[in-house]
Amino acid sequence: MSSYVLFGLENPLLDYYVGGEDATLQKYGLKSNDAVLASEKQMGIYKEACVSYGAGGAAQNSCRAAQYVLPPNSTVFAGCVGDDDFARMLRESNEKAGLRSLFSVDPSTSTGVCAVVLSNNNKCRSLCTNLGAANNYKLNNLKIPEVWSLVESSKILYVGGYHLTVSPEAMLELAKHAVEKNKPYIMNLSAPFLSQFFKEQMDSVVPYCDYIIGNESEILSYGEHHGIETKDVGEVALALASVEKVNKKRSRAVVITQGADATIVVQDGEVKTYKPNHVPAEEIVDTNGAGDAFAGGFIAALAGEHGIDYAITLGHWLGQECIKVSGTTLPLPKKQYPLP
Ligand code: 26A
């Protein structure tokens, strides 16, 4: 039976880049740096001319990034797609990256799409998602023997917070397995709207998390919607890290990236900062997926049983490689990455 290092779960999406920068943001009422579920009024964005497209889906991006630095056949990713060309493209790009796609197929719905609008010299990215088939992932899809056996044989479980809008039940089932087998369970905060509109679902999963990864706006949204009266990223991260844990055998780390500014890590009541290397503005092509690539590198390092310091180094490196190219997929042939 195959066994994997990393099992990821979330929404397999195709990223659909739309031009027009500020004019497009204004037309669809989007903020320059945000991630939202498309409202009825925003559906027109998928009919705008496409500048380019490629594989997306936050946790799927992270799994491809983790595979970039892990031995062959280390990663597998589950989610729901339609029976269409977009799904075929996602399968193909995962295959090229060495990530196994474990897709449930809902032939009655199209594969999910995320409209991406870049602005501010590519430093900002606005994401507007129509989940499509990804929204139809159910606990049953996770529990079928072909899928669950891979959960059981994987070392690390990674869930995108975005899945809180789809199947918190599936996230909790994975979480309970992680506790039972004392495997690391990692969640990404994914987007500010989740702590606001999916607070109850978020609060049901957090107690199971050994690692929580996010960015500054996501952790501040968590604080704002949990009555934490401070705008200090480290303080909110400390509060999140101290939420009671189900698995008492592991302490919780909260890892917060801040773009070009220092990444903050909170563990065992301690706050540490890690400054990423400087990337010159002219080398930044597309910041979409940078946080996902960071998460992929961070998780891959944990899989190698390296400490947090190296996990951050590898995460920063992959995040930086990601912003130097268009799209969220790291180009081949692989570059030499920092070694421990
Ligand atoms: C539920 N939502 C809104 C989403 C997403 C998402 N992935 C899963 N669920 N909205 C945007 N993304 C993905 O985030 C990546 C950048 O971090 C985009 O597809 C993009 O590749």
Side-chain angles (χ1 to χ4, degrees):
M1 191 187 61
S2 321
S3 78
Y4 291 89
V5 170
L6 174 63
F7 183 100
L9 171 70
E10 205 201 46
N11 306 316
L13 304 178
L14 188 96
D15 283 355
Y16 180 93
Y17 285 73
V18 174
E21 303 201 350
D22 293 346
T24 306
L25 295 175
Q26 214 174 353
K27 181 168 172 189
Y28 293 101
L30 296 167
K31 293 185 200 155
S32 61
N33 236 339
D34 202 4
V36 296
L37 287 167
S39 66
E40 214 44 60
K41 283 190 189 145
Q42 290 164 328
M43 287 303 203
I45 197 163
Y46 309 105
K47 298 214 169 67
E48 296 283 344
C50 181
V51 177
S52 63
Y53 60 85
Q60 182 172 242
N61 297 338
S62 297
C63 290
R64 283 196 313 278
Q67 183 59 63
Y68 190 91
V69 291
L70 284 169
N73 304 316
S74 290
T75 55
V76 56
F77 175 75
C80 185
V81 294
D83 179 10
D84 50 24
D85 285 340
F86 284 4
R88 282 183 272 284
M89 279 186 251
L90 293 184
R91 280 204 175 84
E92 202 179 304
S93 81
N94 286 346
E95 199 178 316
K96 267 196 200 146
L99 167 65
R100 177 164 168 191
S101 302
L102 207 55
F103 292 159
S104 310
V105 179
D106 172 10
S108 67
T109 322
S110 308
T111 297
V113 187
C114 172
V116 182
V117 185
L118 300 179
S119 63
N120 186 19
N121 292 326
N122 304 326
K123 283 201 211 97
C124 298
R125 95 298 178 250
S126 192
L127 309 171
C128 181
T129 295
N130 178 14
L131 278 172
N135 207 19
N136 297 335
Y137 197 87
K138 303 273 182 301
L139 178 56
N140 287 347
N141 299 115
L142 182 70
K143 293 298 288 195
I144 60 169
E146 298 93 295
V147 178
W148 191 252
S149 62
L150 297 182
V151 170
E152 288 186 323
S153 66
S154 297
K155 259 173 79 174
I156 297 185
L157 306 165
Y158 179 57
V159 290
Y162 280 126
H163 216 65
L164 293 168
T165 80
V166 174
S167 182
E169 299 79 14
M171 293 170 77
L172 283 170
E173 192 72 11
L174 275 182
K176 286 173 187 159
H177 169 77
V179 174
E180 201 183 305
K181 302 290 178 191
N182 191 26
K183 295 180 183 179
Y185 185 76
I186 308 173
M187 181 174 73
N188 202 299
L189 292 174
S190 297
F193 80 87
L194 294 162
S195 289
Q196 184 175 8
F197 299 115
F198 294 84
K199 180 171 184 277
E200 199 182 309
Q201 292 88 332
M202 169 85 73
D203 292 345
S204 71
V205 179
V206 162
Y208 292 91
C209 297
D210 301 303
Y211 296 89
I212 299 176
I213 304 174
N215 68 25
E216 67 278 49
S217 57
E218 293 154 8
I219 190 77
L220 290 178
S221 171
Y222 180 90
E224 184 185 338
H225 299 289
H226 287 80
I228 302 163
E229 304 278 326
T230 170
K231 293 269 175 265
D232 183 294
V233 168
E235 271 184 52
V236 186
L238 273 169
L240 176 56
S242 69
V243 171
E244 174 113 26
K245 283 192 90 255
V246 178
N247 183 357
K248 310 281 185 211
K249 295 183 187 139
R250 296 175 180 275
S251 69
R252 179 181 296 125
V254 175
V255 179
I256 305 297
T257 59
Q258 309 194 83
D261 294 333
T263 296
I264 294 183
V265 178
V266 165
Q267 193 171 28
D268 300 323
E270 221 192 314
V271 183
K272 279 192 177 177
T273 57
Y274 297 81
K275 184 93 179 101
N277 292 333
H278 174 70
V279 179
E282 62 277 12
E283 286 183 33
I284 303 178
V285 175
D286 174 6
T287 46
N288 183 30
D292 306 335
F294 169 87
F298 182 86
I299 296 164
L302 294 182
E305 319 232 331
H306 300 291
I308 291 250
D309 292 359
Y310 176 64
I312 300 286
T313 303
L314 199 53
H316 280 165
W317 185 82
L318 279 173
Q320 299 197 330
E321 288 306 308
C322 177
I323 65 178
K324 293 179 194 166
V325 296
S326 175
T328 60
T329 303
L330 295 152
L332 297 170
K334 289 183 186 182
K335 282 195 191 174
Q336 182 55 58
Y337 46 85
L339 296 169

